[in-house]
Structure formats: structure tokens, C-alpha cells
Amino acid sequence: MKNEYQVPAAVKIDRILKMVVEHKGSLRLIDISRELGISKSSCSLLLRTLEQLNWLIKDNQDEYKLGPFLGHIGHHYFKDLEIIDLFNGEAKKSLEIIDEHIQLGILQENQVMYLAKIKGSSTIDLVTHPGSVYPSHSTSVGKIQLIDKSYEELEKLFPNGLESVTPQTITNLDELFKNLQNAKTHGYIEEHQESAIGFHCVACPIYNADGKIIAGVSTAMITEKWDLKHDIAREEIIKLSRRISYLNGYEFKKIE
């Protein structure tokens, strides 16, 4: 949609909600007013309206957090995604073998949003949860969904370059493209401490009936666990992605 057809107030609300998510509920009125470039009085009216609608709540420190109504909307959004049901059913089988956290994520522009997660017995966990978003180039479940992108498409997807999440994150586009091409050849991708120090992941793509990548599945574990069972983890995540792709209408012979 062209910018001239956008309603300014709706754009401001969109920016406010994204800011609250990005800053994890640590923003006050003055912060939001400054970021939007509008007066405190105008910003206050917007925020009060969002509070009344239960889109936002304000805590005792006058910091804004997402409100219960957005949680209600999110619940129904995720509930309507059939792929989550497929993941929850099939991932349990893989969990019995890997016994490590398994996640489902979808690509949203240059970020990955986590849709579902089932936990293994490990008490050490990443901070990812359904609804959280991360730079796609720093996570295995995000990168695996980029493997069909051309170099030119990646340039457009990351116009401001590649953010460094940890010292291990790939921040060079040429290196990322090489990493993705290698993953496309092998059908899976590994990520070593690129999104969180001390964690290693392996991910595979999920296809739809038209042969398009629509999501990714991954498992993550600490270095000590990775050294012991990275082979079985890789094998099981490949099997899991194939089962879900097949149930989603993708012909198994295509992913042999």
C-alpha cells in the first residue's frame, strides 16, 4: 500500500506497539514522545486511548507494556495457524529422541518470529518464546528460510546491513550468502553461538504444497550437549521438517 493512503494516527499506533515490543516494556511517555517526534500532550492522548482499549497497560514505574487485548488477538492468530498444530503433534515424537528444546518460526521480512516451542528436560533455555522476534540472519530457524533468496534479494532484505547479536554473528553479506548456499545444498543449517553465547542450533525448512518454504524448525542446546548429540539432533530435525512438510501437502519425493 502506498504511503499516501495510510492514516497517520494508525501509523503512530503501529510504531508505538513495535517500540513497546522492541524495548520489552521499558518505555515511558517521554521516550515514546521523543521517538515519534510529537508533543507529550498528543502522545499522551494516544497512549490513554490505547490503555482504555486494553492494548497497552502502564505499570507502577509509568512504563508501558502490551495489554491483555493484544494477547487475546495473538492467541486467536496463533490458534488459527494449522502449522502450529502439526508442529505440536510431530515435535513431541522428536522430543522423545533429542530431549532438547524444539522451536517453530516463520520469516517476517528480515526477522524471524517464533510461533511455538516445546521444551526438553534441560533447565537451561533461550529466552525465545511464541511471539518473540529476532534478526533472521542470527538464528538457524531464520537463516534456513533465507536459502532460496538471491544475493540481490538479500541486499534488499537487509538494506542497513547485518546486525551483530553476538561476536559470532555473521555480519558480512557475502559470508551469509555462502552460508545459505551451503545450507541449501545440504538441506539444513547449523548456527554456533550467533544468537546466544553458549548455544548451538540446527534447523530445517518446512515446505507447503507448492514447494515454497513457509517456516522452519530448530533445536537448540548448550555446548556440552551439542558435543554429545549434534549428529542425532541434526538427523531428527531433518526428519521432523519432512514429516511436517508432508502433512502440509508437500510431496515427500521432492525432499529426498
Side-chain angles (χ1 to χ4, degrees):
M1 180 182 293
K2 295 183 179 180
N3 290 341
E4 60 262 31
Y5 298 120
Q6 293 182 346
V7 179
V11 173
K12 288 185 177 71
I13 290 172
D14 177 71
R15 288 183 63 189
I16 289 172
L17 296 178
K18 288 178 178 177
M19 284 161 43
V20 171
V21 170
E22 181 180 351
H23 290 83
K24 298 179 172 62
S26 63
L27 293 177
R28 298 186 180 187
L29 169 61
I30 185 63
D31 304 313
I32 298 173
S33 171
R34 186 183 300 116
E35 182 69 24
L36 291 179
I38 62 176
S39 67
K40 288 176 62 177
S41 58
S42 297
C43 189
S44 178
L45 286 174
L46 278 173
L47 292 172
R48 279 208 302 270
T49 300
L50 292 175
E51 282 187 85
Q52 292 168 358
L53 295 172
N54 288 320
W55 285 30
L56 291 178
I57 57 174
K58 185 167 63 174
D59 64 17
N60 294 332
Q61 285 74 46
D62 291 331
E63 294 177 341
Y64 288 91
K65 296 177 172 59
L66 295 182
F69 184 67
L70 291 179
H72 176 73
I73 292 175
H75 168 74
H76 284 280
Y77 170 73
F78 288 129
K79 186 178 179 181
D80 290 339
L81 291 177
E82 183 180 357
I83 194 169
I84 293 181
D85 293 332
L86 296 178
F87 169 81
N88 287 332
E90 294 301 317
K92 291 177 182 177
K93 303 173 185 176
S94 297
L95 187 66
E96 293 179 359
I97 298 173
I98 305 175
D99 191 28
E100 297 291 342
H101 309 320
I102 303 175
Q103 303 178 107
L104 171 73
I106 58 171
L107 196 65
Q108 294 196 323
E109 297 183 353
N110 62 6
Q111 295 185 308
V112 63
M113 181 173 74
Y114 291 90
L115 296 180
K117 179 179 185 178
I118 61 171
K119 294 185 177 183
S121 61
S122 175
T123 57
I124 303 176
D125 194 7
L126 289 169
V127 295
T128 54
H129 54 81
S132 62
V133 293
Y134 280 80
S136 60
H137 70 280
S138 70
T139 70
S140 63
V141 75
K143 287 199 289 185
I144 198 63
Q145 297 177 70
L146 299 173
I147 60 175
D148 285 337
K149 303 288 185 185
S150 67
Y151 190 90
E152 290 72 24
E153 287 174 322
L154 291 176
E155 286 183 309
K156 293 179 181 179
L157 199 59
F158 299 98
N160 299 317
L162 304 176
E163 173 188 353
S164 178
V165 179
T166 77
Q168 305 302 321
T169 308
I170 294 176
T171 56
N172 178 277
L173 193 62
D174 290 338
E175 185 179 353
L176 175 64
F177 185 67
K178 182 178 179 181
N179 185 231
L180 297 177
Q181 291 302 297
N182 184 61
K184 186 173 183 178
T185 298
H186 293 91
Y188 67 88
I189 198 165
E190 294 181 3
E191 174 255 297
H192 303 288
Q193 306 186 85
E194 293 180 52
S195 58
I197 294 298
F199 279 89
H200 306 261
C201 308
V202 58
C204 290
I206 294 175
Y207 296 89
N208 66 10
D210 296 323
K212 295 181 179 179
I213 298 175
I214 58 169
V217 287
S218 70
T219 185
M221 63 194 78
I222 60 175
T223 301
E224 291 79 2
K225 296 287 189 67
W226 180 262
D227 291 340
L228 291 173
K229 50 183 176 181
H230 62 273
D231 286 335
I232 186 66
R234 179 175 61 245
E235 179 182 348
E236 195 54 41
I237 288 300
I238 291 174
K239 290 179 179 179
L240 173 60
S241 69
R242 291 185 173 188
R243 292 198 304 269
I244 298 176
S245 295
Y246 177 76
L247 292 173
N248 202 52
Y250 193 51
E251 292 184 34
F252 188 77
K253 64 181 180 180
K254 294 181 181 179
I255 48 177
E256 279 293 318

